[in-house]
Amino acid sequence: MQIVNVKLPISLAEADALKPNDVPAHVEFRNVTKMYGAVAAVRDLSLTVGRGEFVTILGPSGSGKTTALMLLAGFVAPTQGDILIGGNSVAAVPSYRRDQGIVFQSYALFPHLTVGKNLEFPLEMRGIKAAERLPRVNRMLERVHLEDFGDRMPSQLSGGQQQRIALARALIADPPFLLLDEPLGALDRKLREQMQIEMKSLHQEFGITTICVTHDQEEALTLSDRIIVMRAGQIEQTDTPEALYDRPATAFVANFLGEANILDIHDFKVKSTVESQPGTVPMIRPERISIAALTDQKETDAEKRQYVTGRIKEMIYAGPLRKYHVRVGSGVLIVREHVATGQKVFKPGEEVRLDWLRSDVRFVAI
Ligand code: ADP
Ligand code: MG
């Protein structure tokens, strides 16, 4: 993980003075392009991040996420376009002036310094007096629930504890915003989930504008006020986690954020409550489909639902969830259900009836 703190070229008070009645967007990209030779790592990127927002840039490897973060931190310069922080362009700020305002902190804690000294470091760099540093370090240790760990060396901490100290170190000097690049990528699943909850509560407590880069959809869904999905250097779609998941605009977003059944490939006419637009295909999420034995169920609500028959191809058990691959015509639909007491379990080869609400069908661009 890399944690980068960025100090504004102007103070928040100054930014407020510029726009007294308006909370300025903290961060704005205006048509930013970054070329590496013939490759556009980021292409015509425009976005704003509001004060206090937790925004995640989500996308596959190579989609330009890290480049966007590095542009914002000032470590690389845009080929075209402008970046504004607190309403002011930073593109024209010479690098020597920007360097003064930027503190770069790598994920790794200083191995030869105690946890306490690691936390003191950013304060020392800002010229904060020794007498003021210690109480701040102790307060910060309390906030990340590691108050008894100040005298330990980083090697005496677990991975999760090191991660919390890294976050604490990034936050201790009160930066106006926090940039996180794949912050939890190195942790195992359970720890990752704990840290997600912890990061969220830290964000709520500090109210700090946070821009997090990840390829992990679960992380993005859990943490963010808003997700920016990137694809090949461009924004594919941006919205709240729930809206993105429920109403993906494109097949790419539908597939990247969870699993999607694109119904286009199946040999039945899809019934839906909305008109399809040209260039779109119908899509339904696996958890919106119900599964039943052919003999078990009578069709009800026929005008609201759609019924199809199929044959189980595979059953995949995953703890609380059970997933079926069901052959329907020439295609395969994925059905996901929560495991429940008394539920019928279907075996490969069995014939089943699938049904879903017509209003759960979405149309996504291809
Ligand atoms: P992500 O973080 O989403 O994986 P990056 O921003 O690292 O993506 O990279 C986006 C694209 O830009 C990739 O095609 C990558 O190869 C290219 N790229 C990134 N940094 C450099 C660089 N320093 N020199 C040349 N190409 C680069
Ligand atoms: Mg990256």
Side-chain angles (χ1 to χ4, degrees), residues 164-239:
R164 274 189 261 165
I165 295 299
L167 268 176
R169 192 178 61 177
L171 289 167
I172 196 161
D174 278 332
F177 58 91
L178 185 63
L179 304 181
L180 307 164
D181 195 349
E182 307 277 357
L184 309 177
L187 303 178
D188 61 45
R189 190 187 173 86
K190 194 140 193 169
L191 208 50
R192 214 162 57 219
E193 283 174 3
Q194 279 173 15
M195 281 300 297
Q196 282 168 5
I197 294 166
E198 194 134 350
M199 277 172 65
K200 192 147 183 138
S201 73
L202 273 176
H203 176 253
Q204 274 157 5
E205 190 181 340
F206 284 75
I208 186 170
T209 306
T210 305
I211 301 171
C212 176
V213 155
T214 185
H215 67 278
D216 184 330
Q217 42 140 326
E218 217 176 274
E219 201 166 295
L221 288 171
T222 310
L223 289 173
S224 324
D225 296 320
R226 201 153 54 87
I227 298 175
I228 295 165
V229 181
M230 281 192 74
R231 177 191 192 183
Q234 290 182 291
I235 294 178
E236 181 86 355
Q237 191 180 357
T238 172
D239 215 324

Side-chain angles (χ1 to χ4, degrees), residues 36-37 39-42 59-68 76 181-182 213 233:
Y36 285 112
V39 177
V42 160
S61 178
S63 56
K65 307 181 297 293
T66 295
T67 302
V76 299
D181 195 349
E182 307 277 357
V213 155

Side-chain angles (χ1 to χ4, degrees), residues 101-122:
I102 293 168
V103 180
F104 176 86
Q105 292 172 316
S106 78
Y107 151 59
L109 299 168
F110 303 121
H112 57 290
L113 296 181
T114 62
V115 163
K117 290 284 176 199
N118 262 281
L119 291 189
E120 230 184 301
F121 183 77

Side-chain angles (χ1 to χ4, degrees), residues 45-355:
L45 186 71
S46 292
L47 65 92
T48 58
V49 179
R51 176 175 301 187
E53 225 186 343
F54 195 124
V55 166
T56 299
I57 301 177
L58 175 70
S61 178
S63 56
K65 307 181 297 293
T66 295
T67 302
L69 216 58
M70 293 295 108
L71 281 161
L72 183 54
F75 296 121
V76 299
T79 309
Q80 261 173 24
D82 204 357
I83 295 170
L84 293 88
I85 298 176
N88 289 18
S89 170
V90 292
V93 177
S95 60
Y96 68 87
R97 274 194 54 203
R98 274 219 238 175
D99 285 347
Q100 284 186 334
I102 293 168
V103 180
F104 176 86
Q105 292 172 316
S106 78
Y107 151 59
L109 299 168
F110 303 121
H112 57 290
L113 296 181
T114 62
V115 163
K117 290 284 176 199
N118 262 281
L119 291 189
E120 230 184 301
F121 183 77
L123 301 175
E124 228 173 310
M125 293 299 286
R126 301 264 167 111
I128 292 169
K129 287 197 224 54
E132 214 182 296
R133 293 201 298 260
L134 204 58
R136 272 178 89 163
V137 167
N138 288 335
R139 259 203 319 276
M140 199 62 192
L141 283 171
E142 258 170 52
R143 273 168 151 162
V144 294
H145 315 296
L146 290 170
E147 47 270 64
D148 299 328
F149 288 71
D151 293 329
R152 289 213 197 172
M153 300 307 282
S155 60
Q156 295 172 300
L157 302 182
S158 71
Q161 289 167 339
Q162 287 185 34
Q163 206 77 7
R164 274 189 261 165
I165 295 299
L167 268 176
R169 192 178 61 177
L171 289 167
I172 196 161
D174 278 332
F177 58 91
L178 185 63
L179 304 181
L180 307 164
D181 195 349
E182 307 277 357
L184 309 177
L187 303 178
D188 61 45
R189 190 187 173 86
K190 194 140 193 169
L191 208 50
R192 214 162 57 219
E193 283 174 3
Q194 279 173 15
M195 281 300 297
Q196 282 168 5
I197 294 166
E198 194 134 350
M199 277 172 65
K200 192 147 183 138
S201 73
L202 273 176
H203 176 253
Q204 274 157 5
E205 190 181 340
F206 284 75
I208 186 170
T209 306
T210 305
I211 301 171
C212 176
V213 155
T214 185
H215 67 278
D216 184 330
Q217 42 140 326
E218 217 176 274
E219 201 166 295
L221 288 171
T222 310
L223 289 173
S224 324
D225 296 320
R226 201 153 54 87
I227 298 175
I228 295 165
V229 181
M230 281 192 74
R231 177 191 192 183
Q234 290 182 291
I235 294 178
E236 181 86 355
Q237 191 180 357
T238 172
D239 215 324
T240 61
E242 213 170 322
L244 263 190
Y245 185 80
D246 189 43
R247 293 184 297 280
T250 67
F252 177 85
V253 173
N255 281 308
F256 199 73
L257 216 63
E259 275 185 308
N261 289 302
I262 303 294
L263 295 171
D264 194 27
I265 52 167
H266 303 284
D267 329 353
F268 54 87
K269 186 169 169 6
V270 176
K271 294 164 184 164
S272 157
T273 50
V274 292
E275 288 280 306
S276 73
Q277 299 297 313
T280 65
V281 289
M283 183 283 291
I284 187 155
R285 294 290 188 190
E287 66 275 16
R288 300 285 178 178
I289 303 179
S290 306
I291 186 165
L294 275 187
T295 48
D296 270 10
Q297 195 199 12
K298 297 274 176 290
E299 295 190 14
T300 55
D301 259 355
E303 72 291 349
K304 281 194 187 152
R305 306 186 73 88
Q306 175 152 27
Y307 292 82
V308 298
T309 54
R311 192 177 291 280
I312 303 284
K313 194 168 165 265
E314 251 178 294
M315 189 277 278
I316 301 146
Y317 175 74
L321 295 174
R322 195 177 281 118
K323 212 155 81 172
Y324 294 103
H325 290 189
V326 184
R327 182 161 288 289
V328 178
S330 61
V332 174
L333 287 182
I334 301 169
V335 179
R336 192 162 57 210
E337 59 175 20
H338 280 277
V339 170
T341 311
Q343 191 176 48
K344 179 153 172 51
V345 179
F346 300 99
K347 299 200 169 48
E350 271 188 80
E351 265 206 292
V352 290
R353 179 185 285 118
L354 305 180
D355 74 284

